[in-house]
Amino acid sequence: MQLELTFQRAVVHPVHDTKRLEEGKDLNDALLDFFVKLGQAVIPEKGRPSPVAYLGSHFYDVLRKGGAKDGREGHKNVSNWAKRRLGKEGLFGPGIGALAVPVNELLSVNGYDGRQEQSQEKHWWLALLLNPAGAAGAAAEGDDKDMSLLCMDSFVRADTRFDPPFRALKGGDLESYPVEVTGLSRIGFNMRVVFRATGDGSAGPLPEPRTCRLRAGGRVFANTEAELKAREVGGEGRPGRLEGALSFRLDRRGAAKTVGQYNFEFGERGDEYEPALRLRMGEKPTQCQTQVAHFLGGYLDKEHEATLPGKSAQASRLMEKCIRVPGVPQQETSHDCGFFIMEMILRTLQLSPKALRELATASSVEIAMLPWPSQQQIVRRKEMLRDIVDVLFAAARRYGTGDVEMLFRAQPELRAQVRSALAEGGPHFEHGFDRWAAGDWDLSPSPSRSQSRDRDGRDG
């Protein structure tokens, strides 16, 4: 008989699920639930309850089940989930600092003309709601009135259209040789610049597209691919026209920057198109991220009314304003998205509920500066997970049960081994929070945090 590992209703099969820990495999929902629930039990210091609520990998899908148009309507699908797992105060008790919601999105592909086509590939990203009790808005008790929804995505998809377009001229003043940039998009490590350029032949040919460069994060990146529907560089006395999209592949340092400025250099250095094409990608949530905020806002309002009768909630009204899209390290494979969100959740479990609520006042830039997992750290974590799963299955065979809580009682040192496998090997997340709280790298403070610091300064 093959024993399965079980922990708080999460089940891991010794063959089908454990294969998903091998290199090149996707993390499935069974493993995600198992490891997050284990992390909730063993990572908080001194046996404290988990500061992060987790309602399962299927929570968001079930919330939308049956064609629910919003979270209020979908609440009936998950009406008892929070209280059953967290007690009568549910998401709004003092011991809860955040709610972690995995989102499994069906990806779409952007064409250079802006059209989207649905793919069949699914991708995990994490919606991390900081301070759910902030759903009460100004009526929230104490100082914890801020709430923020972090859209944490290790495979960024962002698209910005420029209307009017960014425009530069050859030599800075040659009107017959303009270049215009109409769009900038990003998928993971890949950037695409949508442009058009013309020349009347009076000053020679247009630049060869492959000589173009993109600057990001202090780095320079060469063109890797040209998708052009017009490709006539022209020449002396011969007009030219270029139109389409140029691709650039970022490296790890360049990819750490998600929003902000990207400088597009059209042609070679001697071509001197001016003014400089300083393209800006704003912090704009995707359509899916906006939809998640919409559903979670409605769900929180209904949950708040059911949990705290007579007290109003304003999450639906506040939620879209609370969205943050921080730039986090990007995955370098096509299959590690699930491991990234698991690791993000495990790291937040190092913080106290109070710290997580305070973090709701941080800007996207500040959130991005925290020590989120890199690809190398994900590789190391997978090795540790494979090892600890082997250890747990060996203990299950020894004691004749796959119930991990019973194994902890039978072999107490197992708990420390599991904690090490889930929490060690990466930077201490609490240290990153302490640096932020001390203002060591307060690069872009949010108004609420700035005001609170001003008050602290005046009071002192």
Side-chain angles (χ1 to χ4, degrees):
M1 182 182 74
Q2 288 185 322
L3 289 171
E4 296 178 325
L5 296 179
T6 62
F7 188 78
Q8 296 179 5
R9 301 175 69 182
V11 180
V12 174
H13 189 274
V15 178
H16 307 307
D17 294 326
T18 55
K19 282 185 177 179
R20 296 298 194 103
L21 295 174
E22 298 172 1
E23 285 301 325
K25 301 292 186 181
D26 299 311
L27 187 76
N28 65 7
D29 49 4
L31 288 169
L32 179 59
D33 288 345
F34 181 75
F35 287 128
V36 170
K37 288 181 177 182
L38 271 179
Q40 288 180 304
V42 302
I43 290 178
E45 298 284 355
K46 299 177 182 178
R48 296 189 182 100
S50 170
V52 179
Y54 178 76
L55 303 181
S57 58
H58 293 288
F59 169 75
Y60 183 65
D61 287 338
V62 177
L63 178 64
R64 296 184 302 153
K65 191 175 178 181
K69 67 178 185 295
D70 56 33
R72 269 190 170 277
E73 185 177 310
H75 182 271
K76 63 181 181 295
N77 299 328
V78 292
S79 59
N80 65 340
W81 287 31
K83 284 186 180 179
R84 189 177 70 218
R85 290 165 171 79
L86 305 171
K88 68 175 184 176
E89 291 183 296
L91 295 168
F92 310 108
I96 299 298
L99 167 65
V101 180
V103 178
N104 201 5
E105 178 184 355
L106 189 64
L107 294 181
S108 54
V109 179
N110 287 346
Y112 71 81
D113 56 1
R115 290 181 297 181
Q116 287 192 339
E117 296 179 0
Q118 207 75 30
S119 75
Q120 296 304 309
E121 185 175 359
K122 287 194 171 184
H123 167 67
W124 287 105
W125 59 271
L126 178 65
L128 184 66
L129 181 67
L130 298 174
N131 190 27
E141 297 181 2
D143 296 327
D144 298 321
K145 301 183 189 303
D146 291 281
M147 178 175 65
S148 70
L149 178 65
L150 308 184
C151 298
M152 312 285 284
D153 197 340
S154 62
F155 187 65
V156 167
R157 285 139 292 124
D159 186 69
T160 302
R161 298 287 152 173
F162 306 122
D163 185 17
F166 281 88
R167 193 168 191 266
L169 303 175
K170 188 170 184 176
D173 58 3
L174 199 54
E175 287 285 351
S176 58
Y177 276 76
V179 58
E180 294 182 336
V181 177
T182 59
L184 179 68
S185 62
R186 175 172 172 181
I187 300 178
F189 280 74
N190 297 305
M191 300 290 304
R192 298 178 85 225
V193 177
V194 182
F195 80 107
R196 55 180 173 260
T198 57
D200 66 0
S202 63
L206 293 171
E208 171 58 41
R210 289 193 175 276
T211 64
C212 298
R213 298 169 305 281
L214 190 72
R215 292 182 181 269
R219 314 277 282 176
V220 181
F221 304 97
N223 171 240
T224 56
E225 184 180 352
E227 184 183 344
L228 303 176
K229 62 180 181 180
R231 186 169 190 161
E232 293 291 338
V233 296
E236 289 294 339
R238 288 188 297 113
R241 178 180 177 81
L242 299 170
E243 184 174 358
L246 299 177
S247 296
F248 303 85
R249 183 165 177 81
L250 307 179
D251 62 11
R252 288 173 186 162
R253 282 176 57 188
K257 172 193 182 77
T258 305
V259 299
Q261 185 170 293
Y262 296 82
N263 294 344
F264 177 52
E265 298 177 355
F266 183 63
E268 299 183 81
R269 286 179 175 82
D271 290 314
E272 296 177 350
Y273 275 75
E274 297 178 356
L277 293 165
R278 296 187 175 95
L279 314 177
R280 189 157 193 88
M281 182 167 280
E283 184 192 325
K284 182 180 178 182
T286 66
Q287 183 178 356
C288 180
Q289 290 165 348
T290 301
Q291 183 186 58
V292 169
H294 174 66
F295 268 84
L296 290 182
Y299 164 78
L300 276 181
D301 281 347
K302 188 70 173 175
E303 185 70 14
H304 195 276
E305 294 167 8
T307 306
L308 303 170
K311 295 188 177 182
S312 63
Q314 305 175 47
S316 293
R317 183 177 63 82
L318 299 172
M319 189 64 77
E320 287 192 26
K321 297 177 183 178
C322 295
I323 298 177
R324 305 284 182 270
V325 190
V328 295
Q330 297 291 284
Q331 63 191 73
E332 298 173 30
T333 69
S334 61
H335 50 263
D336 279 335
C337 52
F339 288 99
F340 268 86
I341 68 168
M342 178 195 70
E343 182 72 11
M344 290 171 185
I345 297 171
L346 295 178
R347 293 194 182 189
T348 60
L349 290 171
Q350 297 178 19
L351 300 183
S352 68
K354 183 178 185 300
L356 288 164
R357 289 192 289 270
E358 186 177 355
L359 206 56
T361 67
S363 69
S364 292
V365 174
E366 293 171 316
I367 294 292
M369 294 292 286
L370 293 168
W372 300 108
S374 67
Q375 182 69 56
Q376 299 97 314
Q377 290 163 355
I378 292 297
V379 170
R380 175 62 182 140
R381 178 69 66 215
K382 285 196 281 187
E383 293 173 357
M384 299 172 80
L385 294 179
R386 287 194 293 268
D387 290 344
I388 197 61
V389 165
D390 287 344
V391 169
L392 288 172
F393 272 114
R397 290 189 294 271
R398 184 180 311 117
Y399 294 104
T401 178
D403 185 326
V404 175
E405 291 178 285
M406 292 181 66
L407 295 178
F408 283 168
R409 291 192 290 271
Q411 193 174 328
E413 66 272 18
L414 265 182
R415 188 181 186 89
Q417 290 177 268
V418 169
R419 188 182 193 282
S420 177
L422 297 177
E424 302 302 322
H428 204 293
F429 201 76
E430 190 173 11
H431 293 168
F433 170 81
D434 289 342
R435 286 187 60 202
W436 170 77
D440 282 359
W441 33 260
D442 190 9
L443 301 181
S444 178
S446 64
S448 57
R449 186 165 181 79
S450 298
Q451 291 162 9
S452 67
R453 285 178 175 168
D454 290 344
R455 289 195 298 271
D456 291 344
R458 287 196 299 270
D459 292 342

